């Protein structure tokens, strides 16, 4: 799952674009779009490193390795270096043409600032990140993105301003 970044971007392309070849064409049929759910993007950090960030309350440091945030910022996410003795970072993910278009589309969306811990992967019924045999890297997989027609983009279209009032998680909700 950790290395499926390109496949996730291909999913974005398939959802929004169908056979279209341009990000503008993918969104032009809509006035506003809310794209939310378990998007499954992961954090490209070693588990001990991210655990340390979370313990120290350094969410921004963890988010700087979040695949969706990094891709939306116009950078190229890189997988975790499999060999800790190698100082150089791993090569960026290789993206198909469909995944590149998906990335171009997702960059059009906005997301409120994340000020809560990762929502994946918690031990069942607890607020403790997965500790069993598959102690996966905690990640912000549950997301809400939005897009609206630009003000002034088309004088014939009413423009919409979306103003998020809150963006958080509900820690008492221990099911998915």
């Amino acid at each position: 799952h950790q290395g499926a970044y390109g496949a996730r971007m291909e999913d974005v392309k398939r959802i929004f674009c169908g056979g279209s070849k341009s990000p503008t064409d993918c969104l032009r049929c809509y006035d506003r779009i809310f794209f939310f759910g378990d998007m499954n993007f992961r954090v490209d950090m070693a588990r001990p490193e991210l655990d340390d960030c979370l313990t120290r309350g350094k969410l921004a440091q963890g988010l700087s390795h979040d695949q969706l945030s990094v891709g939306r910022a116009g950078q190229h996410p890189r997988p975790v270096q499999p060999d800790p003795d190698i100082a150089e970072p791993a090569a960026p993910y290789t993206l198909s043409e469909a995944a590149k278009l998906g990335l171009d589309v997702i960059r059009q969306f906005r997301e409120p600032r994340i000020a809560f811990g990762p929502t994946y992967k918690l031990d069942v019924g607890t607020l403790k990140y997965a500790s069993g045999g598959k102690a996966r890297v905690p990640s912000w997989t549950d997301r809400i993105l939005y897009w609206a027609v630009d003000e002034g983009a088309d004088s014939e279209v009413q423009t919409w301003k979306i103003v998020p009032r809150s963006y958080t998680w509900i820690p008492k909700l221990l099911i998915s």
Side-chain angles (χ1 to χ4, degrees):
H1 294 292
Q2 192 80 16
Y5 175 75
R8 290 184 185 105
M9 285 303 171
E10 288 176 5
D11 289 343
V12 169
K13 187 266 184 201
R14 190 175 65 252
I15 290 167
F16 288 106
C17 302
S20 178
K21 302 273 189 229
S22 125
T24 305
D25 289 344
C26 297
L27 303 175
R28 71 182 166 91
C29 298
Y30 308 98
D31 293 330
R32 57 202 169 276
I33 300 170
F34 292 88
F35 185 37
F36 58 92
D38 181 352
M39 296 189 188
N40 235 343
F41 289 96
R42 303 300 171 91
V43 173
D44 286 323
M45 284 179 99
R47 172 70 189 261
E49 186 180 358
L50 182 59
D51 284 345
D52 183 58
C53 290
L54 297 174
T55 300
R56 293 182 299 117
K58 305 285 185 185
L59 293 180
Q61 190 174 349
L63 282 164
S64 71
H65 295 271
D66 170 67
Q67 293 172 344
L68 182 57
S69 298
V70 171
R72 286 186 54 249
Q75 300 165 4
H76 300 287
R78 295 172 180 269
V80 175
Q81 177 56 268
D83 185 346
D85 294 330
I86 298 174
E88 294 179 25
Y93 291 101
T94 302
L95 299 180
S96 67
E97 289 306 310
K100 288 176 187 174
L101 179 57
L103 181 58
D104 287 344
V105 169
I106 209 78
R107 286 179 178 152
Q108 308 299 312
F109 284 78
R110 293 178 178 224
E111 180 178 29
R113 187 177 69 79
I114 296 175
F116 52 88
T119 55
Y120 169 89
K121 168 106 174 132
L122 300 169
D123 285 335
V124 176
T126 74
L127 292 175
K128 182 179 177 186
Y129 291 108
S131 58
K134 289 187 176 180
R136 298 202 170 125
V137 176
S139 297
W140 289 268
T141 58
D142 304 297
R143 309 292 273 273
I144 301 172
L145 306 177
Y146 59 93
W147 175 88
V149 172
D150 254 347
E151 293 184 38
D154 182 345
S155 59
E156 298 295 314
V157 177
Q158 181 177 358
T159 60
W160 302 91
K161 184 170 182 164
I162 298 171
V163 181
R165 300 285 185 215
S166 178
Y167 193 46
T168 188
W169 71 323
I170 305 169
K172 291 182 181 179
L173 185 61
L174 297 176
I175 59 172
S176 72

